[in-house]
Amino acid sequence: MTNESYIPEVRGHLKKTIIKLPEAISDASGIKINGRILRSFIFTTDVATIRNNNADAVIAVYPFLPQPIITQAIVSVADVPVFCGIGSSAGAGGIKRVVNLAKHAEYQGAQGVVVSANISNEAVAEISSAIDIPVILTVISENTDFKARLEAGVSILNVSGASETPSIIKSIRSEYPYVPIIATGGPSDNTIKETILAGANAITYTPPTSGNLFAQKANRSRELETKAIQ
């Protein structure tokens, strides 16, 4: 008889250092997208980080002009589903540009596109009709007109409201109990659990920077060297 709570782990001899996401995320229900249940999303565009973590998916949103070559690079190195940021309909090119970015992301293999909080409903409708992958809306306030957003074609809400995230989620859940919600989980297991209890189906996790990881590795090396000398 097998122990259902025991999960065997097999890993290569060389790939021992990976970014492990908090265990608390496993309590989330997950969102089933194209047959795969996703509970954890790592929030990064660093290709080395993308290749060395145990998240279920990558959410790649960045504070620069969205560019197809960046989407292509991220999707090409990821071994899990990628959800790419494509910005908003503001600026030069407007709706036409953001729709083209969405199409390119789908063609490159992205499993969904993430749009900015300030995107127009008209743009959301055009994107939704042009692609066959989910449109994910970034939510930063409970004052968002969720009804209009969902009717325009948003499939998933990505709540990123800092310390207000749980209250935003509760506000959404009071009116939309079944809409899929991804949310930032905060810095600790307790904040992640609070976010899940509020109604989040999946959690985004921001990993440490390469600089922080190098510092940790250097500190360990110095400690081992000191012990060896002693």
Side-chain angles (χ1 to χ4, degrees):
M1 182 179 293
T2 60
N3 184 348
E4 293 182 2
S5 64
Y6 171 69
I7 301 176
E9 180 176 3
V10 179
R11 191 182 299 174
H13 296 294
L14 298 177
K15 195 174 180 180
K16 294 180 179 179
T17 304
I18 65 169
I19 296 172
K20 292 186 177 181
L21 275 64
E23 287 288 335
I25 297 176
S26 63
D27 292 336
S29 67
I31 301 171
K32 186 178 285 188
I33 300 177
N34 293 326
R36 180 181 297 191
I37 297 176
L38 307 177
R39 293 182 176 87
S40 57
F41 291 70
I42 193 162
F43 179 65
T44 183
T45 55
D46 184 288
V47 293
T49 297
I50 287 169
R51 289 294 298 182
N52 292 278
N53 70 84
N54 68 340
D56 296 328
V58 174
I59 188 162
V61 180
Y62 47 93
F64 309 108
L65 178 71
Q67 298 177 58
I69 195 168
I70 296 176
T71 299
Q72 182 177 341
I74 292 169
V75 172
S76 69
V77 300
D79 54 5
V80 294
V82 175
F83 297 79
C84 293
I86 58 172
S88 71
S89 52
I95 293 176
K96 182 178 180 180
R97 175 180 172 81
V98 76
V99 169
N100 285 337
L101 286 168
K103 288 179 178 179
H104 180 273
E106 182 181 23
Y107 298 158
Q108 290 298 320
Q111 293 296 302
V113 293
V114 185
V115 296
S116 301
N118 64 335
I119 194 169
S120 69
N121 289 328
E122 182 185 358
V124 170
E126 294 248 6
I127 294 167
S128 179
S129 65
I131 61 176
D132 193 36
I133 53 177
V135 178
I136 303 168
L137 174 72
T138 300
V139 175
I140 58 176
S141 168
E142 63 183 47
N143 295 322
T144 301
D145 186 347
F146 297 109
K147 183 174 185 294
R149 294 307 208 180
L150 295 169
E151 287 179 350
V154 166
S155 300
I156 301 170
L157 301 177
N158 175 39
V159 182
S160 182
S163 62
E164 298 299 314
T165 295
S167 65
I168 295 173
I169 295 170
K170 289 177 182 177
S171 177
I172 296 169
R173 282 285 176 244
S174 66
E175 192 169 357
Y176 301 99
Y178 301 112
V179 65
I181 296 177
I182 305 170
T184 53
S188 70
D189 279 357
N190 286 337
T191 57
I192 289 170
K193 289 176 181 178
E194 181 185 5
T195 304
I196 293 170
L197 287 173
N201 302 109
I203 298 293
T204 61
Y205 172 76
T206 302
T209 65
S210 294
N212 288 336
L213 293 174
F214 269 122
Q216 293 172 17
K217 195 170 185 178
N219 288 337
R220 285 196 297 270
S221 296
R222 281 191 287 268
E223 289 173 3
L224 291 173
E225 186 175 345
T226 300
K227 289 180 180 178
I229 293 172
Q230 294 173 347

